[in-house]
Amino acid sequence: MSFDEIIDRRGSHCVKWDMMEALYGVSPEDGVSMWVADMDFRPPGCIQDAVQAMLDHGVYGYFGDDSKYRAAICWWMAERHGWNVDPSHIFTTHGLVNGTAMCVDTFTDEGDGVVLFTPVYHAFAKVIRAANRDLRELEMAQDGGRYVLDFDAFDAQMTGNEKMLILCSPHNPGGRVWTRAELEGVAEFARRHDLIIVSDEIHHDLVMPGQRHIPMTKIDGIADRLVMMTAATKTFNIAGAHVGNVIIADDALRARFAARMAALGMSPNSFGLFMVTAAYSPAGAEWLDNLRDYIAENARIFDAGINAIPGLRSMALEATYLAWVDFEGTGMTQEEFTDRVTGHAKIAVNYGPTFGTGGDSFLRFNLAAPRAVIEDAVARMQKAFGDLQ
Ligand SMILES: Cc1ncc(COP(=O)(O)O)c(C=O)c1O
């Protein structure tokens, strides 16, 4: 397949293009959609074939026997991440926002503090607030233009009421792949403050060439407080399938989670299970390696074009396809730079403040699009900020 193909998604009920006008005031007629983390590519043929086989069969009854599905997940985690998963430790949720909500619901009570390292994926805060938990935002520092975790500063802000940390690894936005030393720091921080760690690793497959993601489960001394979350949906662009995995090795935590799943009557949708089983395969892996090279080149082109505009800075991506661009150097107000991007360049992007403390001077651009779209976006941005040249 060619990632260069422009697929017109307008009118297909996709949130990225069909909601851009309502949400960002950018018309899909002459605008570019670069917000939500959803790629403008078709998934690999192995997934299309699996869906086609379902359609050809044509009966969509209840799903039974998920052993192949579990085996595919275990194969992928071992093959791609060096992580041996026990198939009985896997839960299937309706995606990882749902997985996060389930963890907050299961492992904390109303009023408990839940910690985030911000700026971070906005749905975490939404879920925490909606569940009447105390959102504890710990703002990350920057060192050499990339985010770092300052645990002394974090310690000083803890109140003693916190029960859980939701870690985003790799990090969205900002694209950090946390190093082993950083993850060990997270583990020590969690032990010091007696926190359950929910590690959202949805972007773990989307690391840049040369980068190596370390699953949190590889860090010693936290097995009794760790909940892992992974999904095939970002990796293969099947987010509409709403399928994700919560993987819990600790018996006590797993029993509590299982009880909550049962109490809520949760069970997965068969389309998602078929897609994931097909995706986690050698054919899926080959497609992913090509995708990663393509995105890396998109990021190179985007960063070169954006960083050439005085006052703009696109953070170097170690993972994800989400460029995090800082407009602070322009001296413009948030309203002005946002208006230039959405109003003049006509690009729909995610607003920085939605990612929490530390996001105010940023906008997030999705680079998982055909090369021509990235080049067009760079040209639009250079024009919209042309007076700064
Ligand atoms: C860190 C992170 N977690 C979860 C999600 C969404 O997960 P799901 O679609 O499985 O609910 C996203 C989507 O961008 C994300 O970036």
Side-chain angles (χ1 to χ4, degrees), residues 85-158:
V85 176
D86 181 322
S88 69
H89 294 177
I90 302 170
F91 297 92
T92 300
T93 60
H94 298 295
L96 293 194
V97 175
N98 178 229
T100 305
M102 289 286 302
C103 288
V104 169
D105 184 56
T106 306
F107 301 118
T108 68
D109 295 315
E110 286 207 12
D112 284 349
V114 180
V115 174
L116 299 179
F117 299 149
T118 68
V120 73
Y121 176 53
H122 41 75
F124 295 150
K126 262 191 216 151
V127 160
I128 294 165
R129 284 200 184 98
N132 297 320
R133 269 56 168 181
D134 182 20
L135 173 63
R136 304 281 302 122
E137 295 185 83
L138 304 183
E139 185 182 345
M140 294 183 290
Q142 283 188 49
D143 183 18
R146 62 182 207 153
Y147 285 120
V148 291
L149 305 171
D150 179 347
F151 293 106
D152 290 338
F154 292 168
D155 283 342
Q157 296 171 70
M158 296 296 274

Side-chain angles (χ1 to χ4, degrees), residues 37 94-98 121 124 168 172 200 202-203 233-234 239 243:
H94 298 295
L96 293 194
V97 175
N98 178 229
Y121 176 53
F124 295 150
C168 192
N172 164 25
D200 179 334
I202 199 167
H203 295 281
T233 48
K234 289 282 157 238
V243 61

Side-chain angles (χ1 to χ4, degrees), residues 117-235:
F117 299 149
T118 68
V120 73
Y121 176 53
H122 41 75
F124 295 150
K126 262 191 216 151
V127 160
I128 294 165
R129 284 200 184 98
N132 297 320
R133 269 56 168 181
D134 182 20
L135 173 63
R136 304 281 302 122
E137 295 185 83
L138 304 183
E139 185 182 345
M140 294 183 290
Q142 283 188 49
D143 183 18
R146 62 182 207 153
Y147 285 120
V148 291
L149 305 171
D150 179 347
F151 293 106
D152 290 338
F154 292 168
D155 283 342
Q157 296 171 70
M158 296 296 274
T159 65
N161 186 42
E162 296 82 3
K163 297 286 183 317
M164 175 180 280
L165 161 69
I166 301 175
L167 177 72
C168 192
S169 176
H171 196 86
N172 164 25
R176 279 299 318 278
V177 172
W178 303 118
T179 62
R180 179 170 287 276
E182 286 170 318
L183 295 175
E184 283 168 355
V186 172
E188 280 162 26
F189 173 77
R191 277 197 298 264
R192 239 180 352 264
H193 299 284
D194 196 15
L195 306 174
I196 288 180
I197 305 169
V198 175
S199 190
D200 179 334
E201 306 196 2
I202 199 167
H203 295 281
H204 64 169
D205 291 316
L206 297 163
V207 299
M208 291 287 157
Q211 294 287 337
R212 179 103 188 131
H213 165 80
I214 302 172
M216 195 63 192
T217 185
K218 295 272 177 186
I219 305 301
D220 292 335
I222 47 167
D224 59 343
R225 58 176 76 248
L226 179 63
V227 174
M228 296 287 292
M229 300 202 303
T230 66
T233 48
K234 289 282 157 238
T235 310

